[in-house]
Amino acid sequence: MLEQMVANGALEQAEYEKLIKSTIKLDLSTPVDLYPDYVTYVPQELKKLVASSEGLDKSLQSTDVAIRKNAEAELDKKVKELLNSGVTIHTALDTKLQTQSKTAVQSKIGVNDIEGALVVIQHHTHELVSLIGGKDYKKNSFNRAYQSYRQPGSAIKPLLDYAPYLEETDAGINQLVSGASYCSNSYCPKNYSGDSYGMVTLRTAFAQSYNTPAIRLFEKTGWKRVSNT
C-alpha cells in the first residue's frame, strides 16, 4: 500500500524509505471477561431474538426431530452471519449492581455446598440489569440463572395471588384475610410452619408468605383472571 501511495503522489519517496525501515510493534492484550455471568447470557437472548424475527420459533419447538434440527442449523447460520457483519450488541448491564449482586450471593451463601443465582430486572424499564449464574461462576459453565429450571415456589405468589387480587378488588394492604387451616375436598395445603394464623392483613400474609391466605385470594380472584394476568 505504501508503494501505491508513492506511485500516486500521496507519499514522498524519502518518507517511504523511512517508513519501511520502521520496526512494527504489536501491543497485544488478552481480553478479560469482567462479568461472565451476564455476558454468557447475551448470545442466548440474541438467538431468541433472531429466531423470532426469522419466524423459526414454531420449527424450533417441533416434535419432528428433522424439522427441529434444520431450524437449529438455520438459526446458527443466521446468528453467525449477523455476528460476522460487525453488529454491535447493546445490553442493559449495570456493572456496579452486577458487582454488588456477586458480593451478595457469595456472602449470603458462604462456603457450604449450597448454590444460588440472582437476577435483577429494573422495574421501570423492564431491563435485565444484573445476572449472577452461581456462587463462583466460571465462563461457559452451568449458569443457574437461566439454565437451571426449578418450580418457582412462593416466588409465584405476587403474580398468581396478590397482583390480580389487588387489581381486581382495589383492596388495601391492611385488608384482612384468613390464615386459618384450609381444605377443599382432599386438597389440604398447610402453612409452612403448620400453624393456623386466623385473620391477618394482606401485608402480613404477603410478608410472611403464608400459604392458606394466598389460596383464598386465588379462589376469590378466579382462575380466568389469574391466567390472564
Side-chain angles (χ1 to χ4, degrees):
M1 181 174 286
L2 291 177
E3 291 177 347
Q4 292 175 341
M5 291 176 69
V6 172
N8 287 280
L11 185 67
E12 296 291 336
Q13 183 66 33
E15 185 67 17
Y16 167 78
E17 297 292 343
K18 180 181 179 181
L19 288 172
I20 62 174
K21 293 178 181 178
S22 300
T23 301
I24 298 175
K25 182 181 179 182
L26 298 178
D27 187 11
L28 301 177
S29 61
T30 303
V32 178
D33 289 316
L34 299 177
Y35 312 104
D37 311 56
Y38 190 104
V39 171
T40 52
Y41 174 72
V42 175
Q44 305 297 322
E45 183 71 7
L46 177 64
K47 289 185 74 172
K48 290 180 181 179
L49 292 172
V50 174
S52 178
S53 65
E54 295 293 332
L56 293 171
D57 288 337
K58 186 175 180 180
S59 297
L60 288 168
Q61 297 172 5
S62 174
T63 55
D64 188 310
V65 176
I67 293 177
R68 194 166 63 248
K69 285 188 176 181
N70 287 337
E72 290 170 354
E74 180 68 14
L75 176 59
D76 288 340
K77 178 184 175 183
K78 294 289 185 181
V79 170
K80 185 176 180 180
E81 289 175 352
L82 185 60
L83 293 175
N84 289 340
S85 72
V87 65
T88 299
I89 301 174
H90 297 274
T91 75
L93 172 64
D94 183 327
T95 56
K96 181 179 179 180
L97 187 57
Q98 180 75 359
T99 300
Q100 292 174 338
S101 298
K102 189 72 170 180
T103 301
V105 169
Q106 292 177 335
S107 64
K108 295 298 181 182
I109 292 178
V111 296
N112 52 35
D113 293 334
I114 298 175
E115 261 295 356
L118 189 151
V119 176
V120 181
I121 296 175
Q122 177 56 256
H123 174 69
H124 300 295
T125 64
H126 302 167
E127 292 176 325
L128 177 64
V129 293
S130 177
L131 184 149
I132 303 300
K135 185 168 57 179
D136 296 301
Y137 179 80
K138 300 295 187 297
K139 186 177 180 180
N140 295 325
S141 62
F142 184 68
N143 193 312
R144 288 173 170 79
Y146 69 93
Q147 292 178 314
S148 178
Y149 292 90
R150 297 288 187 273
Q151 64 95 354
S154 289
I156 199 67
K157 288 176 183 174
L159 299 177
L160 197 67
D161 303 305
Y162 291 92
Y165 179 78
L166 292 173
E167 289 179 352
E168 185 76 10
T169 65
D170 199 30
I173 58 175
N174 291 316
Q175 178 178 303
L176 296 177
V177 59
S178 174
S181 299
Y182 174 95
C183 257
S184 177
N185 297 322
S186 59
Y187 178 56
C188 300
K190 299 182 182 299
N191 293 311
Y192 181 76
S193 65
D195 294 337
S196 176
Y197 298 105
M199 300 301 291
V200 296
T201 64
L202 295 181
R203 179 200 290 270
T204 298
F206 178 79
Q208 300 300 323
S209 194
Y210 294 154
N211 293 327
T212 57
I215 294 169
R216 289 186 167 96
L217 296 182
F218 179 89
E219 283 189 336
K220 290 179 180 179
T221 307
W223 170 246
K224 185 175 181 179
R225 176 69 172 83
V226 169
S227 62
N228 288 337
T229 301

